[in-house]
Amino acid sequence: DIQDNNGDNFCNSNNGKRVVVEGQVFTEISEIVENVEVSLANNAPTDITDENGEYAFANMPVGGDYDIKPSKDENYLKGVSTFDLVLIQNHILGTTALDSPYKLIAADADSSEDITALDLIALRKLILGIYQELPDNASWRFVDAEHRFIDPKNPWISTWPESYEIFWLTTDMEIDFIGVKIGDVNNSYVSNVTNGDLEERSTKLLSMTMNNVSSANDEIQKIQILAKDYKNINGWQTSLSFDNSQLELINIEGIAIPFDKERHANLSNQTKGSVPLSFVHEQMTSLEDQDVLFELTFKSKAGHDASDLINFDSNILSTEAYRNNSEKLTLNLIANELKAELVNISPNPWMDNSKIQFTLPTKGDVKYEFYDVNGRLLYANKVNFEEGLNTIKIEKTQLNTSGVVYVKLMTNNSIIKHKMIVL
């Protein structure tokens, strides 16, 4: 303690008495995590990590004891997909172990300090929308970056801390944390908005085809979903979409695969015409072309052909499949006559630009047109596209309008129409 006995104020009473506690929050692959609430114990203030993942508490009194704790409880589904279920199941079965303690923590969805089939059940229900959040658990867990696990293959035995305790604070300190997104064992979560929010879709396809099955009752129609190049597949997910003004979904039944509508689908929103599907094989599976994967039973309200009114899209779940434990494919549903199919429009609604993704059975010309609600042509073009997945990027400046816009794609044997909303 230095005192200024002459009264010249050379020694400010706060000099050496206040320090800064700051740090950064990032994932195990060094991606920053923003919007994390960082708090101090004993009713001290809180701070929120910024776009650089940083937080700071300035003017902290020396000599105090503090418990720094980060928390984040939002976006449960973001970064979590059926591919994570594939990787967790491979770990449980001993096929391929998860290779870091942070991935093990991420796989422990039910906070049981173990990885079991119950974690798969909880995450599948989250993916399908049956759970809106994970049971008894926040969407993130945090480990201070200086922590070292006693056994990286069993991180729970070291009682890893979710906070950092400071005893007798005497100097500026930098305390970083590693964030773990629960369920995201392949680190696909993009936590910072500036890095982009959407994953690129694979240009490789896994196509399923569909056949109508004749029925004595014209009102009841069965659609068989058939395998096509179904080789070394681990699993897949999609949103089954159909025109609910014309069709009522009655049943989904697995045929060549053990698809169970109670476990692998969420039928609660079928009246809205969209049903999320998520399926994982116990081991990589190959099937012959034209093997019936599963069968859909519809009741037709107006005698329409059901196969013309159903599709796979990304309204609820992205349409994707997984091969060889690592390769991600775009999942596609096509009629046996091999028509062009719309895969996705993203974003929609959109402000500056949007991407329209579609598939072609063979290389050829595609004419695309955009109309407003009054039928006025806003923009048109014709381009020769390759077989497989293709993308059209449309700018708002090309349409010079806002509101509801209709897009029409035309090939030599098909016409695709869809609605967009331009903000």
Side-chain angles (χ1 to χ4, degrees), residues 181-339:
K181 179 66 172 63
I182 301 305
D184 178 22
V185 297
N186 69 333
N187 287 310
S188 63
Y189 182 95
V190 180
S191 58
N192 184 273
V193 175
T194 59
N195 289 338
D197 233 7
L198 301 174
E199 292 184 67
E200 289 294 323
R201 296 178 65 85
S202 172
T203 57
K204 297 182 179 180
L205 290 175
L206 174 65
S207 293
M208 297 179 182
T209 63
M210 56 181 169
N211 276 342
N212 266 5
V213 179
S214 60
S215 173
N217 185 344
D218 290 338
E219 289 187 350
I220 301 300
Q221 298 187 43
K222 293 189 176 183
I223 303 295
Q224 292 181 335
I225 306 301
L226 312 176
K228 183 176 183 293
D229 193 29
Y230 203 95
K231 307 300 181 186
N232 296 333
I233 299 300
N234 300 99
W236 43 266
Q237 68 174 36
T238 188
S239 298
L240 172 68
S241 292
F242 54 92
D243 187 343
N244 61 312
S245 68
Q246 308 297 332
L247 299 174
E248 176 187 350
L249 179 62
I250 297 175
N251 191 33
I252 306 176
E253 181 181 3
I255 306 297
I257 63 175
F259 186 96
D260 182 346
K261 66 180 180 181
E262 302 297 330
R263 290 195 301 144
H264 302 118
N266 181 1
L267 301 179
S268 62
N269 288 326
Q270 61 176 298
T271 56
K272 298 180 181 179
S274 193
V275 175
L277 309 177
S278 172
F279 181 80
V280 176
H281 290 286
E282 289 190 0
Q283 58 186 6
M284 280 193 301
T285 298
S286 298
L287 297 172
E288 297 295 326
D289 288 357
Q290 301 299 305
D291 280 353
V292 181
L293 298 169
F294 54 95
E295 189 173 75
L296 309 170
T297 302
F298 288 96
K299 181 177 181 180
S300 176
K301 299 179 181 179
H304 290 283
D305 187 340
S307 63
D308 291 335
L309 302 174
I310 67 173
N311 197 10
F312 288 168
D313 64 27
S314 300
N315 284 341
I316 300 177
L317 291 180
S318 59
T319 57
E320 56 189 50
Y322 320 103
R323 173 177 281 154
N324 294 322
N325 293 316
S326 60
E327 185 180 9
K328 182 183 290 188
L329 313 170
T330 295
L331 182 61
N332 189 36
L333 178 64
I334 58 177
N336 271 343
E337 58 264 37
L338 299 178
K339 294 182 180 180

Side-chain angles (χ1 to χ4, degrees), residues 91 98-108 114-115 141 151-156 185:
H91 176 85
L98 297 174
D99 58 4
S100 83
Y102 304 104
K103 292 178 181 178
L104 295 175
I105 294 171
D108 181 22
D114 195 9
I115 301 173
R141 296 179 196 160
D151 181 0
K153 296 181 179 180
N154 188 1
W156 301 282
V185 297

